[in-house]
Amino acid sequence: MLVSTVDELMVLLANGEDVWDMPDRSGDPVDILDHDRQCAELLRQRFPRDEQLQVAGLVHDIGHQLVPGDDAGHGRHGANAIRELLGARVARLVELHVVAKRYLAATDSAHTERLSPSSQRTLIAQGGPMNAAEIAEFEADPDFDAALALRRADDAGKVVGLTVAPLDSWIPVIKRVATQRPLDQDHGELVSE
C-alpha cells in the first residue's frame, strides 16, 4: 500500500487505535497509535528542530498495520508506504529503526536488558544483534544518529496512560514535512536542544 496524501496517512494512523504490534496483545503494553504518538512526542521534546525525525517517530510502526505479523519487515513496509509522501529521509529512518535495534543489541547490553519482552522476542526475527561488519557499516551511515534517537524514543514510548498531544495536532507538522521532500537529500538536521 502506498500512502499518497496526508489525509490517507491520518486515517492509517488513526486506525492504529486498539491495534497492537502482536495480534494476541502479548507485545507492547499500548496500542500502535498511542505508541507512535508517544515516540513522536519524545522526539519533539528532544529534537524540536528536526520535524522529519519527529514524523518518522509518528509513522515508524505503520508497517505492523500494513502487513500484520511481519516483525522483521515492518520497518521496510512502513518506509515503502510513506516514501513518496514524506520523502527519502523519513522513509529511511522508519526502515532504520529496526536496524538501530540490532545495533544497540550488539553494542549496549544495558539497553538490551531494558527492551520490552516483545522487543526482545522480535529481535531474533529481525536478525539478532549485529556482527562487527554490520556495526561498522551502520556507524558510517549518515542517518546513524537520527536512527538511534528514533530507536531510543521507540523503546521509551510504551507508557500506559501517558498523556500526549492528540493525533490531529500533528497535521501541520506532517504537511510541512511532506512539502520539504525535495530538500531531504541533505538529510535534514539532528539537533537536540
Side-chain angles (χ1 to χ4, degrees):
M1 171 185 179
L2 294 180
V3 178
S4 56
T5 69
V6 173
D7 288 340
E8 287 176 5
L9 179 60
M10 295 306 291
V11 168
L12 181 60
L13 289 168
N15 287 342
E17 185 174 15
D18 206 31
V19 174
W20 303 80
D21 63 333
M22 301 294 289
D24 65 359
R25 295 188 181 197
S26 64
D28 292 338
V30 294
D31 66 30
I32 290 175
L33 175 60
D34 197 22
H35 169 63
D36 286 348
R37 289 184 309 128
Q38 287 185 35
C39 182
E41 188 61 42
L42 288 167
L43 292 165
R44 179 165 36 199
Q45 291 169 8
R46 294 175 186 162
F47 305 97
R49 294 180 13 187
D50 193 344
E51 290 186 332
Q52 290 179 344
L53 177 58
Q54 295 166 26
V55 170
L58 186 65
V59 303
H60 78 282
D61 270 349
I62 62 170
H64 283 300
Q65 292 168 255
L66 299 172
V67 184
D70 187 358
D71 292 316
H74 80 276
R76 184 180 67 256
H77 299 306
N80 290 340
I82 55 88
R83 183 172 282 110
E84 262 189 55
L85 177 64
L86 299 175
R89 181 169 183 253
V90 174
R92 182 135 170 76
L93 292 173
V94 168
E95 190 161 5
L96 287 178
H97 87 276
V98 174
V99 176
K101 176 181 173 181
R102 295 184 59 228
Y103 172 84
L104 288 169
T107 61
D108 184 349
S109 60
H111 180 85
T112 304
E113 290 171 12
R114 289 188 307 271
L115 287 175
S116 69
S118 175
S119 286
Q120 290 177 5
R121 185 174 58 246
T122 59
L123 175 63
I124 303 307
Q126 295 164 342
M130 287 183 169
N131 62 39
E134 291 170 322
I135 290 170
E137 181 180 346
F138 184 52
E139 288 175 340
D141 191 294
D143 287 317
F144 172 76
D145 290 329
L148 286 183
L150 173 54
R151 181 73 234 174
R152 287 187 170 109
D154 182 8
D155 292 329
K158 300 175 183 183
V159 180
V160 175
L162 183 66
T163 301
V164 293
L167 180 59
D168 63 357
S169 71
W170 285 96
I171 293 172
V173 180
I174 294 169
K175 286 181 175 179
R176 283 193 298 272
V177 168
T179 60
Q180 293 171 353
R181 285 186 344 190
L183 304 176
D184 73 0
Q185 286 95 353
D186 64 346
H187 299 290
E189 111 182 35
L190 179 67
V191 180
S192 180
E193 294 182 342

